[in-house]
Amino acid sequence: KAGVTQTPRYLIKTRGQQVTLSCSPISGHRSVSWYQQTPGQGLQFLFEYFSETQRNKGNFPGRFSGRQFSNSRSEMNVSTLELGDSALYLCASSSDSFPYEQYFGPGTRLTVT
Amino acid sequence: GQQVMQIPQYQHVQEGEDFTTYCNSSTTLSNIQWYKQRPGGHPVFLIQLVKSGEVKKQKRLTFQFGEAKKNSSLHITATQTTDVGTYFCAGRKTSYDKVIFGPGTSLSVIP
């Protein structure tokens, strides 16, 4: 099976702009989660989608949003970018059955200048 | 809110020495997972523990889940340079709750 893919891999944006990141999960996985990883804060949970519905949400401002399509592909959007949004954004998909392990994509490295 | 802590933050060992990282949750967990992230890479699933007091082994790695299901540990025997990376524990309160990752323990192995 193909792994989790994320596009783009690298992105440079300016403060105030918006950005959309894409994630394609492993075939058959209906759950997709998004994480923000920074050196100081580790892996912070953003949100989880299951069958097009947001199942869980982390403690991020409303500028961070996401959605999932019927083919389980997911996108996350960050509006009005701030310098502090510079991070590695990781997407992970997981199966519906035990042990629900998460398979991570390579991430999108976002730099906000 | 739920918090997951890990100690130590960093560990430098000589090749061949043992290594242990500890994970503690502020709440009881339904399960705990361990992931390894190599430098420049993404987290890779290692194992999941579900039962109170559970112990699982993968070659030189031994994973334990505490009796109260609030703490866990990962022990590596006779470290090798291939063990270098950051080890994260991650837990959920229930199977449908969000996964909370610990801050990770970064392991360096000196050859």
Side-chain angles (χ1 to χ4, degrees):
Chain A
K1 279 186 182 178
V4 177
T5 58
Q6 290 187 247
T7 57
R9 293 292 311 278
Y10 302 91
L11 206 48
I12 300 175
K13 290 285 189 179
T14 305
R15 264 185 310 176
Q17 288 186 314
Q18 75 162 16
V19 66
T20 299
L21 312 181
S22 180
C23 170
S24 292
I26 290 173
S27 176
H29 285 187
R30 291 187 290 171
S31 171
V32 173
S33 297
W34 288 90
Y35 295 87
Q36 181 194 67
Q37 186 172 35
T38 57
Q41 297 295 319
L43 274 160
Q44 299 294 312
F45 174 81
L46 280 155
F47 24 67
E48 178 190 11
Y49 285 88
F50 181 82
S51 292
E52 301 180 67
T53 301
Q54 188 179 83
R55 185 155 71 176
N56 286 297
K57 189 176 186 305
N59 300 322
F60 278 80
R63 300 185 296 109
F64 291 81
S65 63
R67 58 178 177 168
Q68 187 179 34
F69 302 95
S70 58
N71 61 358
S72 293
R73 190 177 70 85
S74 178
E75 287 182 348
M76 68 163 280
N77 183 276
V78 188
S79 62
T80 320
L81 284 166
E82 300 177 0
L83 294 178
D85 297 332
S86 294
L88 179 67
Y89 290 88
L90 290 161
C91 162
S93 75
S94 61
S95 68
D96 302 347
S97 55
F98 184 88
Y100 312 107
E101 73 267 31
Q102 296 188 82
Y103 295 87
F104 284 82
T108 294
R109 172 75 61 187
L110 172 64
T111 302
V112 182
T113 61
Chain B
Q2 180 190 0
Q3 287 188 325
V4 177
M5 295 148 283
Q6 275 184 262
I7 55 170
Q9 188 176 1
Y10 303 97
Q11 184 82 60
H12 305 276
V13 299
Q14 288 285 145
E15 190 172 17
E17 290 183 338
D18 292 356
F19 159 76
T20 304
T21 174
Y22 299 91
C23 176
N24 290 286
S25 169
S26 58
T27 59
T28 302
L29 302 171
S30 70
N31 60 68
I32 196 151
Q33 297 178 341
W34 285 90
Y35 293 81
K36 176 184 178 182
Q37 184 174 23
R38 287 201 163 96
H42 55 271
V44 174
F45 175 79
L46 293 176
I47 206 160
Q48 174 165 280
L49 304 171
V50 178
K51 299 176 185 174
S52 170
E54 188 170 14
V55 178
K56 285 189 175 180
K57 292 190 176 185
Q58 286 180 350
K59 297 182 180 177
R60 296 177 295 104
L61 277 61
T62 302
F63 304 84
Q64 291 190 322
F65 201 8
E67 294 291 340
K69 301 184 77 173
K70 292 178 74 172
N71 55 64
S72 181
S73 65
L74 157 59
H75 180 82
I76 302 178
T77 303
T79 54
Q80 301 174 358
T81 54
T82 53
D83 297 324
V84 165
T86 300
Y87 293 84
F88 295 96
C89 62
R92 296 179 192 247
K93 284 198 289 188
T94 73
S95 295
Y96 297 105
D97 271 316
K98 60 187 178 184
V99 177
I100 304 297
F101 277 77
T105 295
S106 178
L107 172 64
S108 298
V109 179
I110 305 162

